[in-house]
Amino acid sequence: MRLSSKLLPAAGLFLLTACVSHPPPSTRQAPADLPGQRADGSVLLPNQWSLRPVGKQVVLGDFPVNIAVHPENRFVAVLHSGHGRHEIAVVDVPAAKVIGEFPVDETFYGLEFSHDGKELYCSGASDEVVHAFTFKGGYLTEPKVFKVRDEKERGIPAGIALSGDAKRLFVANVWGQRISQVDLDGAARVTEIALGATNAPARPTPTPGATEEETAAALKRAQAAEEAI
């Protein structure tokens, strides 16, 4: 039996319509909703909670661990101790912007301004040092290093506090259950204060470059402290 030539166009149109009217289901997926800041100012947390902080937000670097407020309240220094570059970022608070980023070889938590705001100190972690900078107008200059101990003798300087007379730094060490007293005068003597059941001060470790007279004086101070307990 022959099909009429008039039926062929109609059959072809029917097949084309059938193919177009039933498209396969789409396999495209919606983009992932990743944590972070949103255009409306909110912040999406990893647990999918949403926060809307009051005030302005300033974008910082990797893993800020501590903030020190300058005595005049205009600037804050922010210490970064993450996987990225370790640094101190200085933020102009009224302008809500970072005005300077100052690299540090290695840091861990300790950060403090001097009482007059002219100096900034930060801990040097496994380098076993304390870094000091001159602070002026939001910028850090004239870096100095106070050596707490030899790198092979692990202590890991962390939190720091400046004495009321601004002549000494007290450095809390992560290891060794001790606090290091660092004199900020020219000799930069270091005295170790042990933490334990009696809180008895330990004998001072020799400071690199110290004279015999300075070492003997440090031992005498430690003996007097032991007798006073």
Side-chain angles (χ1 to χ4, degrees), residues 63-87:
F63 199 48
V65 297
N66 202 354
I67 297 176
V69 181
H70 189 267
E72 296 178 357
N73 295 322
R74 175 182 173 184
F75 301 105
V76 296
V78 185
L79 188 65
H80 295 76
S81 303
H83 291 290
R85 181 180 70 175
H86 287 202
E87 65 181 14

PDB file of all heavy atoms in Angstrom, residues 63-87:
ATOM      1  N   PHE A  63      42.633  35.676  59.981  1.00  0.00           N
ATOM      2  CA  PHE A  63      42.621  35.297  61.392  1.00  0.00           C
ATOM      3  C   PHE A  63      43.113  36.392  62.340  1.00  0.00           C
ATOM      4  O   PHE A  63      44.154  36.261  62.985  1.00  0.00           O
ATOM      5  CB  PHE A  63      43.453  34.023  61.604  1.00  0.00           C
ATOM      6  CG  PHE A  63      43.145  33.317  62.897  1.00  0.00           C
ATOM      7  CD1 PHE A  63      41.842  33.057  63.273  1.00  0.00           C
ATOM      8  CD2 PHE A  63      44.170  32.915  63.743  1.00  0.00           C
ATOM      9  CE1 PHE A  63      41.562  32.402  64.465  1.00  0.00           C
ATOM     10  CE2 PHE A  63      43.906  32.264  64.934  1.00  0.00           C
ATOM     11  CZ  PHE A  63      42.591  32.003  65.287  1.00  0.00           C
ATOM     12  N   PRO A  64      42.366  37.485  62.481  1.00  0.00           N
ATOM     13  CA  PRO A  64      42.708  38.483  63.503  1.00  0.00           C
ATOM     14  C   PRO A  64      42.493  37.903  64.899  1.00  0.00           C
ATOM     15  O   PRO A  64      41.437  37.342  65.190  1.00  0.00           O
ATOM     16  CB  PRO A  64      41.735  39.627  63.217  1.00  0.00           C
ATOM     17  CG  PRO A  64      40.607  39.018  62.452  1.00  0.00           C
ATOM     18  CD  PRO A  64      41.180  37.870  61.694  1.00  0.00           C
ATOM     19  N   VAL A  65      43.494  38.005  65.768  1.00  0.00           N
ATOM     20  CA  VAL A  65      43.433  37.361  67.080  1.00  0.00           C
ATOM     21  C   VAL A  65      43.371  38.333  68.245  1.00  0.00           C
ATOM     22  O   VAL A  65      42.995  37.958  69.348  1.00  0.00           O
ATOM     23  CB  VAL A  65      44.631  36.400  67.278  1.00  0.00           C
ATOM     24  CG1 VAL A  65      44.591  35.270  66.271  1.00  0.00           C
ATOM     25  CG2 VAL A  65      45.955  37.150  67.174  1.00  0.00           C
ATOM     26  N   ASN A  66      43.763  39.597  68.019  1.00  0.00           N
ATOM     27  CA  ASN A  66      43.752  40.534  69.141  1.00  0.00           C
ATOM     28  C   ASN A  66      43.669  41.963  68.602  1.00  0.00           C
ATOM     29  O   ASN A  66      44.100  42.245  67.483  1.00  0.00           O
ATOM     30  CB  ASN A  66      45.007  40.379  70.004  1.00  0.00           C
ATOM     31  CG  ASN A  66      44.807  40.921  71.407  1.00  0.00           C
ATOM     32  OD1 ASN A  66      43.776  41.514  71.722  1.00  0.00           O
ATOM     33  ND2 ASN A  66      45.796  40.720  72.272  1.00  0.00           N
ATOM     34  N   ILE A  67      43.088  42.849  69.418  1.00  0.00           N
ATOM     35  CA  ILE A  67      42.941  44.257  69.065  1.00  0.00           C
ATOM     36  C   ILE A  67      43.468  45.105  70.226  1.00  0.00           C
ATOM     37  O   ILE A  67      43.147  44.841  71.383  1.00  0.00           O
ATOM     38  CB  ILE A  67      41.469  44.624  68.790  1.00  0.00           C
ATOM     39  CG1 ILE A  67      40.932  43.839  67.586  1.00  0.00           C
ATOM     40  CG2 ILE A  67      41.318  46.117  68.534  1.00  0.00           C
ATOM     41  CD1 ILE A  67      39.458  44.095  67.320  1.00  0.00           C
ATOM     42  N   ALA A  68      44.281  46.091  69.900  1.00  0.00           N
ATOM     43  CA  ALA A  68      44.751  47.051  70.898  1.00  0.00           C
ATOM     44  C   ALA A  68      44.246  48.433  70.497  1.00  0.00           C
ATOM     45  O   ALA A  68      44.397  48.845  69.343  1.00  0.00           O
ATOM     46  CB  ALA A  68      46.272  47.037  70.980  1.00  0.00           C
ATOM     47  N   VAL A  69      43.650  49.140  71.457  1.00  0.00           N
ATOM     48  CA  VAL A  69      43.093  50.472  71.201  1.00  0.00           C
ATOM     49  C   VAL A  69      44.118  51.526  71.589  1.00  0.00           C
ATOM     50  O   VAL A  69      44.656  51.521  72.703  1.00  0.00           O
ATOM     51  CB  VAL A  69      41.785  50.682  71.988  1.00  0.00           C
ATOM     52  CG1 VAL A  69      41.202  52.060  71.692  1.00  0.00           C
ATOM     53  CG2 VAL A  69      40.781  49.588  71.649  1.00  0.00           C
ATOM     54  N   HIS A  70      44.377  52.455  70.671  1.00  0.00           N
ATOM     55  CA  HIS A  70      45.315  53.531  70.948  1.00  0.00           C
ATOM     56  C   HIS A  70      44.736  54.437  72.042  1.00  0.00           C
ATOM     57  O   HIS A  70      43.514  54.639  72.116  1.00  0.00           O
ATOM     58  CB  HIS A  70      45.560  54.344  69.672  1.00  0.00           C
ATOM     59  CG  HIS A  70      46.665  55.335  69.786  1.00  0.00           C
ATOM     60  ND1 HIS A  70      46.453  56.643  70.157  1.00  0.00           N
ATOM     61  CD2 HIS A  70      47.999  55.210  69.591  1.00  0.00           C
ATOM     62  CE1 HIS A  70      47.610  57.280  70.174  1.00  0.00           C
ATOM     63  NE2 HIS A  70      48.571  56.448  69.831  1.00  0.00           N
ATOM     64  N   PRO A  71      45.564  54.995  72.918  1.00  0.00           N
ATOM     65  CA  PRO A  71      45.055  55.839  74.013  1.00  0.00           C
ATOM     66  C   PRO A  71      44.177  56.999  73.554  1.00  0.00           C
ATOM     67  O   PRO A  71      43.292  57.440  74.302  1.00  0.00           O
ATOM     68  CB  PRO A  71      46.345  56.344  74.686  1.00  0.00           C
ATOM     69  CG  PRO A  71      47.361  55.288  74.399  1.00  0.00           C
ATOM     70  CD  PRO A  71      47.025  54.776  73.036  1.00  0.00           C
ATOM     71  N   GLU A  72      44.399  57.512  72.347  1.00  0.00           N
ATOM     72  CA  GLU A  72      43.570  58.615  71.859  1.00  0.00           C
ATOM     73  C   GLU A  72      42.268  58.142  71.221  1.00  0.00           C
ATOM     74  O   GLU A  72      41.461  58.969  70.779  1.00  0.00           O
ATOM     75  CB  GLU A  72      44.377  59.446  70.856  1.00  0.00           C
ATOM     76  CG  GLU A  72      45.587  60.129  71.480  1.00  0.00           C
ATOM     77  CD  GLU A  72      46.399  60.917  70.470  1.00  0.00           C
ATOM     78  OE1 GLU A  72      46.038  60.879  69.262  1.00  0.00           O
ATOM     79  OE2 GLU A  72      47.381  61.565  70.872  1.00  0.00           O
ATOM     80  N   ASN A  73      42.084  56.821  71.121  1.00  0.00           N
ATOM     81  CA  ASN A  73      40.843  56.199  70.636  1.00  0.00           C
ATOM     82  C   ASN A  73      40.565  56.388  69.141  1.00  0.00           C
ATOM     83  O   ASN A  73      39.513  55.970  68.666  1.00  0.00           O
ATOM     84  CB  ASN A  73      39.625  56.692  71.424  1.00  0.00           C
ATOM     85  CG  ASN A  73      39.667  56.277  72.883  1.00  0.00           C
ATOM     86  OD1 ASN A  73      40.098  55.161  73.195  1.00  0.00           O
ATOM     87  ND2 ASN A  73      39.259  57.165  73.767  1.00  0.00           N
ATOM     88  N   ARG A  74      41.469  56.982  68.414  1.00  0.00           N
ATOM     89  CA  ARG A  74      41.222  57.134  66.975  1.00  0.00           C
ATOM     90  C   ARG A  74      41.624  55.868  66.212  1.00  0.00           C
ATOM     91  O   ARG A  74      40.966  55.483  65.245  1.00  0.00           O
ATOM     92  CB  ARG A  74      42.008  58.323  66.415  1.00  0.00           C
ATOM     93  CG  ARG A  74      41.873  58.449  64.905  1.00  0.00           C
ATOM     94  CD  ARG A  74      42.685  59.584  64.317  1.00  0.00           C
ATOM     95  NE  ARG A  74      42.636  59.553  62.867  1.00  0.00           N
ATOM     96  CZ  ARG A  74      43.316  60.377  62.078  1.00  0.00           C
ATOM     97  NH1 ARG A  74      44.104  61.304  62.611  1.00  0.00           N
ATOM     98  NH2 ARG A  74      43.219  60.268  60.763  1.00  0.00           N
ATOM     99  N   PHE A  75      42.713  55.232  66.641  1.00  0.00           N
ATOM    100  CA  PHE A  75      43.235  54.076  65.924  1.00  0.00           C
ATOM    101  C   PHE A  75      43.098  52.809  66.767  1.00  0.00           C
ATOM    102  O   PHE A  75      43.093  52.861  67.996  1.00  0.00           O
ATOM    103  CB  PHE A  75      44.719  54.267  65.577  1.00  0.00           C
ATOM    104  CG  PHE A  75      45.004  55.467  64.731  1.00  0.00           C
ATOM    105  CD1 PHE A  75      45.581  56.600  65.284  1.00  0.00           C
ATOM    106  CD2 PHE A  75      44.700  55.467  63.372  1.00  0.00           C
ATOM    107  CE1 PHE A  75      45.852  57.712  64.507  1.00  0.00           C
ATOM    108  CE2 PHE A  75      44.974  56.580  62.583  1.00  0.00           C
ATOM    109  CZ  PHE A  75      45.542  57.700  63.155  1.00  0.00           C
ATOM    110  N   VAL A  76      43.003  51.682  66.062  1.00  0.00           N
ATOM    111  CA  VAL A  76      43.158  50.377  66.696  1.00  0.00           C
ATOM    112  C   VAL A  76      44.159  49.578  65.875  1.00  0.00           C
ATOM    113  O   VAL A  76      44.216  49.707  64.645  1.00  0.00           O
ATOM    114  CB  VAL A  76      41.829  49.595  66.818  1.00  0.00           C
ATOM    115  CG1 VAL A  76      40.858  50.317  67.719  1.00  0.00           C
ATOM    116  CG2 VAL A  76      41.218  49.320  65.459  1.00  0.00           C
ATOM    117  N   ALA A  77      44.964  48.788  66.571  1.00  0.00           N
ATOM    118  CA  ALA A  77      45.895  47.874  65.914  1.00  0.00           C
ATOM    119  C   ALA A  77      45.312  46.468  66.023  1.00  0.00           C
ATOM    120  O   ALA A  77      44.851  46.056  67.093  1.00  0.00           O
ATOM    121  CB  ALA A  77      47.266  47.938  66.569  1.00  0.00           C
ATOM    122  N   VAL A  78      45.324  45.736  64.920  1.00  0.00           N
ATOM    123  CA  VAL A  78      44.747  44.389  64.873  1.00  0.00           C
ATOM    124  C   VAL A  78      45.849  43.407  64.486  1.00  0.00           C
ATOM    125  O   VAL A  78      46.480  43.552  63.434  1.00  0.00           O
ATOM    126  CB  VAL A  78      43.588  44.302  63.864  1.00  0.00           C
ATOM    127  CG1 VAL A  78      42.932  42.934  63.937  1.00  0.00           C
ATOM    128  CG2 VAL A  78      42.573  45.410  64.120  1.00  0.00           C
ATOM    129  N   LEU A  79      46.063  42.407  65.331  1.00  0.00           N
ATOM    130  CA  LEU A  79      47.116  41.422  65.102  1.00  0.00           C
ATOM    131  C   LEU A  79      46.552  40.220  64.348  1.00  0.00           C
ATOM    132  O   LEU A  79      45.513  39.666  64.727  1.00  0.00           O
ATOM    133  CB  LEU A  79      47.701  40.974  66.438  1.00  0.00           C
ATOM    134  CG  LEU A  79      48.937  40.083  66.384  1.00  0.00           C
ATOM    135  CD1 LEU A  79      50.124  40.834  65.782  1.00  0.00           C
ATOM    136  CD2 LEU A  79      49.287  39.588  67.785  1.00  0.00           C
ATOM    137  N   HIS A  80      47.234  39.801  63.268  1.00  0.00           N
ATOM    138  CA  HIS A  80      46.818  38.655  62.457  1.00  0.00           C
ATOM    139  C   HIS A  80      47.825  37.521  62.627  1.00  0.00           C
ATOM    140  O   HIS A  80      49.023  37.724  62.432  1.00  0.00           O
ATOM    141  CB  HIS A  80      46.732  39.038  60.979  1.00  0.00           C
ATOM    142  CG  HIS A  80      45.673  40.050  60.678  1.00  0.00           C
ATOM    143  ND1 HIS A  80      45.821  41.393  60.966  1.00  0.00           N
ATOM    144  CD2 HIS A  80      44.448  39.918  60.120  1.00  0.00           C
ATOM    145  CE1 HIS A  80      44.731  42.048  60.594  1.00  0.00           C
ATOM    146  NE2 HIS A  80      43.882  41.179  60.085  1.00  0.00           N
ATOM    147  N   SER A  81      47.332  36.332  62.983  1.00  0.00           N
ATOM    148  CA  SER A  81      48.220  35.189  63.234  1.00  0.00           C
ATOM    149  C   SER A  81      47.667  33.924  62.592  1.00  0.00           C
ATOM    150  O   SER A  81      47.631  32.858  63.216  1.00  0.00           O
ATOM    151  CB  SER A  81      48.399  34.974  64.750  1.00  0.00           C
ATOM    152  OG  SER A  81      48.900  36.135  65.366  1.00  0.00           O
ATOM    153  N   GLY A  82      47.233  34.014  61.348  1.00  0.00           N
ATOM    154  CA  GLY A  82      46.633  32.866  60.679  1.00  0.00           C
ATOM    155  C   GLY A  82      47.600  32.150  59.757  1.00  0.00           C
ATOM    156  O   GLY A  82      48.823  32.220  59.915  1.00  0.00           O
ATOM    157  N   HIS A  83      47.048  31.444  58.749  1.00  0.00           N
ATOM    158  CA  HIS A  83      47.881  30.726  57.789  1.00  0.00           C
ATOM    159  C   HIS A  83      48.517  31.683  56.790  1.00  0.00           C
ATOM    160  O   HIS A  83      49.553  31.373  56.203  1.00  0.00           O
ATOM    161  CB  HIS A  83      47.047  29.684  57.038  1.00  0.00           C
ATOM    162  CG  HIS A  83      46.616  28.539  57.911  1.00  0.00           C
ATOM    163  ND1 HIS A  83      47.506  27.599  58.380  1.00  0.00           N
ATOM    164  CD2 HIS A  83      45.402  28.194  58.405  1.00  0.00           C
ATOM    165  CE1 HIS A  83      46.861  26.708  59.121  1.00  0.00           C
ATOM    166  NE2 HIS A  83      45.583  27.053  59.156  1.00  0.00           N
ATOM    167  N   GLY A  84      47.902  32.839  56.581  1.00  0.00           N
ATOM    168  CA  GLY A  84      48.468  33.828  55.675  1.00  0.00           C
ATOM    169  C   GLY A  84      49.582  34.613  56.341  1.00  0.00           C
ATOM    170  O   GLY A  84      50.122  34.236  57.385  1.00  0.00           O
ATOM    171  N   ARG A  85      49.924  35.735  55.745  1.00  0.00           N
ATOM    172  CA  ARG A  85      51.003  36.566  56.268  1.00  0.00           C
ATOM    173  C   ARG A  85      50.641  37.108  57.643  1.00  0.00           C
ATOM    174  O   ARG A  85      49.566  37.653  57.838  1.00  0.00           O
ATOM    175  CB  ARG A  85      51.250  37.732  55.299  1.00  0.00           C
ATOM    176  CG  ARG A  85      52.370  38.671  55.728  1.00  0.00           C
ATOM    177  CD  ARG A  85      52.554  39.804  54.727  1.00  0.00           C
ATOM    178  NE  ARG A  85      51.423  40.740  54.757  1.00  0.00           N
ATOM    179  CZ  ARG A  85      51.375  41.861  54.053  1.00  0.00           C
ATOM    180  NH1 ARG A  85      52.374  42.160  53.247  1.00  0.00           N
ATOM    181  NH2 ARG A  85      50.324  42.665  54.137  1.00  0.00           N
ATOM    182  N   HIS A  86      51.555  36.957  58.595  1.00  0.00           N
ATOM    183  CA  HIS A  86      51.344  37.545  59.914  1.00  0.00           C
ATOM    184  C   HIS A  86      51.627  39.044  59.806  1.00  0.00           C
ATOM    185  O   HIS A  86      52.620  39.465  59.213  1.00  0.00           O
ATOM    186  CB  HIS A  86      52.278  36.908  60.942  1.00  0.00           C
ATOM    187  CG  HIS A  86      51.868  35.518  61.313  1.00  0.00           C
ATOM    188  ND1 HIS A  86      52.244  34.911  62.496  1.00  0.00           N
ATOM    189  CD2 HIS A  86      51.087  34.616  60.668  1.00  0.00           C
ATOM    190  CE1 HIS A  86      51.733  33.697  62.554  1.00  0.00           C
ATOM    191  NE2 HIS A  86      51.030  33.494  61.449  1.00  0.00           N
ATOM    192  N   GLU A  87      50.756  39.836  60.413  1.00  0.00           N
ATOM    193  CA  GLU A  87      50.881  41.272  60.259  1.00  0.00           C
ATOM    194  C   GLU A  87      50.088  42.003  61.324  1.00  0.00           C
ATOM    195  O   GLU A  87      49.265  41.421  62.034  1.00  0.00           O
ATOM    196  CB  GLU A  87      50.381  41.708  58.876  1.00  0.00           C
ATOM    197  CG  GLU A  87      48.894  41.464  58.677  1.00  0.00           C
ATOM    198  CD  GLU A  87      48.412  41.881  57.300  1.00  0.00           C
ATOM    199  OE1 GLU A  87      49.256  42.105  56.412  1.00  0.00           O
ATOM    200  OE2 GLU A  87      47.178  41.989  57.105  1.00  0.00           O
TER     201      GLU A  87
END
